[in-house]
């Protein structure tokens, strides 16, 4: 028996092959979309997944303004942020955030960030996410491939 063929391969920064993917978010539910995006960014769909290494893909989400919330979350869900000053707690609903220019970016980043690991690796991984409201994006030079997010579990 050749024991060398049974060695566990552990990926590192030099051996990782990162790809660029484009996801169309039209008519996708926010939470379900973001859980799949978090897995793509983490690299969990790859056979050489290593928990402590950034081995995931760079994800570009287009048509982010066309995502949907189920139920009454559009009006009832509350996002809380704090300005840093006394009495500086601010509350927004998804309905209010949609009207802001960077609102959908904040909603999707908030959801994906909560699904990534906490700590140094998670803070580095969130930088691999790019969110755009329309169909245009500025990453054509990376030659991203379009994928159907519904094919992933």
């Amino acid at each position: 028996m050749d024991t060398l063929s049974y060695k566990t391969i552990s990926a590192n920064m030099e051996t990782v092959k990162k790809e660029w993917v484009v996801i169309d978010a039209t008519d996708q539910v926010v939470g379900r979309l973001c859980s799949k995006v978090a897995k793509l960014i983490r690299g969990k769909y790859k056979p050489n997944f290593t928990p402590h290494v950034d081995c995931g893909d760079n994800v570009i989400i287009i048509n982010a303004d066309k995502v949907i919330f189920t139920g009454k979350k559009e009006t009832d869900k509350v996002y809380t942020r704090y300005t840093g000053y006394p009495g500086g707690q601010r509350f927004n609903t998804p309905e209010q955030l949609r009207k802001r220019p960077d609102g959908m970016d904040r909603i999707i980043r908030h959801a994906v960030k909560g699904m990534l690991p906490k700590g140094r690796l998670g803070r580095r991984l969130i930088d691999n996410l790019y969110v755009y409201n329309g169909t245009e994006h500025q990453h054509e030079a990376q030659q991203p491939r379009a994928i159907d997010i519904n094919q992933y579990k």
Side-chain angles (χ1 to χ4, degrees):
M1 182 168 121
D2 184 18
T3 57
L4 294 177
S5 65
Y6 292 105
K7 286 197 174 192
T8 302
I9 309 270
S10 182
N12 58 25
M13 291 303 292
E14 290 80 32
T15 61
V16 168
K17 296 203 177 2
K18 295 177 74 72
E19 296 179 358
W20 285 79
V21 295
V22 174
I23 297 173
D24 187 5
T26 305
D27 297 330
Q28 296 287 330
V29 178
V30 173
R32 293 170 192 266
L33 169 73
C34 291
S35 67
K36 294 172 187 176
V37 167
K39 282 185 184 179
L40 279 170
I41 290 174
R42 185 89 198 273
K44 288 223 164 186
Y45 291 117
K46 293 188 174 184
N48 63 343
F49 168 70
T50 307
H52 64 279
V53 177
D54 176 9
C55 55
D57 297 331
N58 294 304
V59 178
I60 303 164
I61 298 177
I62 57 173
N63 292 323
D65 52 346
K66 296 180 182 161
V67 295
I68 57 173
F69 285 89
T70 57
K72 296 195 291 182
K73 291 187 195 85
E74 187 81 34
T75 56
D76 292 355
K77 184 176 176 67
V78 176
Y79 291 103
T80 306
R81 63 186 176 87
Y82 180 59
T83 63
Y85 289 95
Q89 223 174 10
R90 302 290 185 256
F91 305 99
N92 287 315
T93 64
E95 186 178 46
Q96 293 167 340
L97 284 176
R98 275 189 197 270
K99 297 173 184 167
R100 296 175 58 158
D102 64 338
M104 287 316 295
D105 180 47
R106 283 177 177 237
I107 288 173
I108 290 176
R109 278 189 185 279
H110 182 269
V112 171
K113 185 178 178 183
M115 298 173 192
L116 290 175
K118 311 312 181 251
R120 283 185 287 181
L121 179 63
R123 288 190 295 271
R124 256 195 340 247
L125 289 175
I126 196 67
D127 293 335
N128 296 335
L129 176 65
Y130 304 90
V131 182
Y132 297 99
N133 282 340
T135 57
E136 299 297 319
H137 60 85
Q138 57 192 15
H139 303 283
E140 294 299 330
Q142 283 75 26
Q143 298 169 345
R145 63 181 175 90
I147 61 170
D148 183 17
I149 197 67
N150 296 323
Q151 299 298 321
Y152 292 88
K153 285 196 171 201

